[in-house]
Amino acid sequence: MLPAVGASDTKGFDAYVDGHRAEFKTISKNTASAAHDRLRDANKQHVDRVYVMVRDGVEKANVEAGRDNFSRNRPNPPLQYWQVIDGGAGWSSPFQSINQPL
């Protein structure tokens, strides 16, 4: 059974996008741990998808390193897909599997 939006045992998630549970996160710090933490937070909210906005100064290599650390520690997480959206960093990625390189 899937948790309901805003269920008492979880913080809930932001929205349904195309029928899938989704979370919206922002990465402002240029560190791998910032990316890892946003993905971990989304995963705890039982989402299938996460949309991540990267702010100015956040490098792709650090986001990839954070994603790699997240995936290494969780071989089959509920979180399966993501998209990185340019929020001033000058780069983005298409909607894709969490396990694919950016």
Side-chain angles (χ1 to χ4, degrees), residues 3-67:
V5 175
S8 61
D9 63 340
T10 181
K11 182 182 167 208
F13 50 89
D14 290 336
Y16 282 100
V17 176
D18 296 329
H20 296 274
R21 297 175 310 260
E23 188 67 21
F24 301 92
K25 299 292 185 187
T26 301
I27 300 173
S28 300
K29 292 168 118 181
N30 188 30
T31 64
S33 63
H36 171 269
D37 292 349
R38 296 301 79 72
L39 294 173
R40 184 190 62 208
D41 293 346
N43 193 60
K44 285 181 181 178
Q45 292 172 284
H46 306 284
V47 298
D48 307 306
R49 300 175 175 186
V50 65
Y51 297 88
V52 179
M53 179 179 291
V54 289
R55 297 288 187 191
D56 184 30
V58 177
E59 297 173 8
K60 185 186 281 190
N62 283 327
V63 174
E64 285 184 319
R67 185 272 324 269

Side-chain angles (χ1 to χ4, degrees), residues 1-3 6 17 19 28 32 42 50 68 74 90:
M1 179 177 211
L2 299 175
V17 176
S28 300
V50 65
D68 291 346
R74 294 162 192 84

